Amino acid sequence: MKIAVLPGDGIGPEIVAQAVKVLAALRSDGMKIELEHAHIGGAGYDAAGDPLPDATLKLAQQSDAVLLGAVGGYQYDTLARPLRPEQGLLRIRKGLGLFANLRPALVYPELANASSLKPELVAGLDIMILRELTGDIYFGQPRGIRTLDNGERQGFDTMLYSESEIRRVAHVGFQIAMKRNKKVCSVDKANVLDTSMLWREIVTAVAQEYPAVELSHMYVDNAAMQLVRAPKQFDVIVTGNIFGDILSDEASMLTGSIGMLPSASLDANNKGLYEPCHGSAPDIAGKNIANPLATILSLAMMMRYTFAREDMAQRIESAVRKTLQNGLRTADIFEAGTQKVGTDAMGDAVVAAL
Ligand code: NAD
């Protein structure tokens, strides 16, 4: 297993260091794991004047999987757009052809009180949001700000999806559902958008190849409502880039803490980039208080989706669960009656539970 490790900025290095401890523990158990570190984001800009240095992209391309911390920091906010840390993230996704973004929203029984919803609505919640990542209005051309004849400025973007882009992400959705509760809900805005009409048509056609999976369709506004009304009705939600961006953040809050949420971004061959859903949290960077569990759980996803090692995925997830059962909490998930620990101690506890 050749894994590129890209800690990035802010809390990135602290949380990635905990995941590396877990990998080291697995390696000492006999797994053949090779790690190589490189810079991305602001760290890439500082080291090489580029948020995605050539050497980093090359390493990522040559690796089986990429483990990423987070990018971004106040000190980079005034850079020209191509030099900003987030560009490193967009470019590595594009460079690796990562079109399927998987974000599970899972509520651990121990953390059901951390949700902003009533515990009975979220206890036992386990849904997977699959967001298409390389198309849609974020990449469609033309886009820009133009000046009209009357002197007024007008901003415009283009929502675009081709059949093949819809088809490949739909396949990923049905394949994931086959390994779960065999339900796919495709989210679109087909009552208003032509792009969504095509999306719905193609997803419906792909569903014919998966007769065991139940397909439903939902408009995005209703989906946003249903996610807070009765989230447990969902198994796999598959949707486009912009709707998925918003819905996956909404779903993440069902679970209480963004510090618990892993993600995977896959290409057509299950090569993947694995990272926590949260950002670089500059407000708490360097204080040894960030929650490393989202990053450690991203490793579990790596074992499951890139290396097809369900056993290892479950071993890591069980270690996290056991650590929570033992009452250990970082500040973001702390509640009375539990023991507050720092980033490092949380990583050590997970390794011990492994
Ligand atoms: P953020 O996710 O970094 O932080 C939001 C809040 O959640 C903060 O209060 C932070 O302290 C807290 N938080 C986040 N992760 C945590 C963890 N592991 N443990 C405990 N608390 C945690 O989002 P933001 O503040 O909007 O953005 C900060 C920077 O991160 C910006 O530069 C932004 O561009 C960047 N960002 C990067 C990514 C990424 O790398 N994938 C994603 C989102 C934002």
Side-chain angles (χ1 to χ4, degrees):
M1 300 179 178
K2 186 171 158 96
I3 302 171
V5 181
L6 315 180
D9 310 319
I11 59 170
E14 298 167 63
I15 53 177
V16 164
Q18 310 313 312
V20 167
K21 281 183 199 167
V22 171
L23 286 171
L26 295 178
R27 187 161 49 191
S28 65
D29 271 3
M31 284 183 79
K32 290 204 165 62
I33 297 172
E34 208 182 299
L35 303 180
E36 199 169 326
H37 284 65
H39 295 300
I40 193 167
Y45 175 77
D46 290 339
D50 186 347
L52 183 65
D54 290 343
T56 302
L57 180 61
K58 204 164 154 214
L59 171 70
Q61 284 166 336
Q62 289 167 349
S63 304
D64 301 312
V66 178
L67 176 68
L68 190 139
V71 301
Y74 309 131
Q75 67 270 45
Y76 307 109
D77 283 351
T78 50
L79 292 174
R81 192 193 286 177
L83 298 176
R84 297 235 185 110
E86 310 81 59
Q87 291 300 315
L89 209 51
L90 293 177
R91 280 168 50 204
I92 197 170
R93 288 174 181 163
K94 200 92 183 158
L96 296 177
L98 307 173
F99 66 88
N101 181 231
L102 277 59
R103 284 175 58 164
L106 194 143
V107 175
Y108 291 88
E110 295 81 7
L111 301 181
N113 284 327
S115 175
S116 48
L117 295 193
K118 297 188 191 91
E120 63 268 25
L121 280 184
V122 295
L125 179 78
D126 180 2
I127 61 183
M128 177 69 83
I129 299 201
L130 171 58
R131 162 188 172 195
E132 201 286 335
L133 204 55
T134 53
D136 208 348
I137 196 163
Y138 292 165
F139 294 96
Q141 294 288 347
R143 63 186 292 174
I145 300 172
R146 60 193 162 204
T147 303
L148 302 175
D149 290 342
N150 66 3
E152 188 185 17
R153 289 188 308 153
Q154 184 181 59
F156 61 102
D157 296 271
T158 305
M159 181 175 266
L160 277 181
Y161 263 122
S162 58
E163 287 183 73
S164 58
E165 286 176 308
I166 302 168
R167 197 173 293 116
R168 66 181 184 176
V169 75
H171 275 291
V172 174
F174 286 106
Q175 283 159 16
I176 291 169
M178 288 293 286
K179 293 184 197 154
R180 296 171 45 99
N181 290 329
K182 303 193 172 57
K183 276 172 39 181
V184 167
C185 178
S186 171
V187 170
D188 60 37
K189 190 73 183 167
N191 50 344
V192 181
L193 299 171
D194 286 358
T195 316
S196 282
M197 282 169 62
L198 183 68
W199 176 279
R200 192 174 278 220
E201 182 189 320
I202 302 295
V203 173
T204 304
V206 172
Q208 304 301 312
E209 298 177 43
Y210 302 88
V213 179
E214 178 193 322
L215 171 66
S216 60
H217 301 277
M218 197 178 276
Y219 297 136
V220 62
D221 42 348
N222 187 24
M225 190 169 75
Q226 295 299 330
L227 270 174
V228 288
R229 193 188 73 85
K232 284 192 255 181
Q233 69 184 284
F234 297 109
D235 177 23
V236 176
I237 291 176
V238 57
T239 189
N241 203 346
I242 187 168
F243 299 154
D245 189 1
I246 298 164
L247 291 183
S248 58
D249 263 23
E250 185 189 3
S252 71
M253 270 300 111
L254 301 177
T255 72
S257 171
I258 199 158
M260 294 296 301
L261 292 165
S263 79
S265 304
L266 305 178
D267 76 357
N269 303 309
N270 288 333
K271 176 173 174 158
L273 181 143
Y274 297 84
E275 57 180 325
C277 288
H278 57 73
S280 57
D283 52 333
I284 58 168
K287 296 182 178 162
N288 191 36
I289 56 174
N291 187 345
L293 295 180
T295 315
I296 292 173
L297 290 167
S298 300
L299 271 189
M301 292 188 83
M302 182 191 289
M303 292 296 153
R304 176 170 293 126
Y305 292 107
T306 290
F307 297 118
R309 288 293 302 263
E310 182 61 29
D311 56 334
M312 284 300 149
Q314 288 189 14
R315 192 171 159 202
I316 296 169
E317 287 165 354
S318 301
V320 168
R321 194 157 293 180
K322 197 168 166 196
T323 307
L324 293 173
Q325 279 163 0
N326 288 343
L328 272 63
R329 302 282 189 276
T330 40
D332 56 313
I333 51 174
F334 177 74
E335 57 180 322
T338 61
Q339 183 193 345
K340 196 186 282 186
V341 294
T343 311
D344 242 344
M346 189 60 121
D348 290 341
V350 174
V351 169
L354 265 181

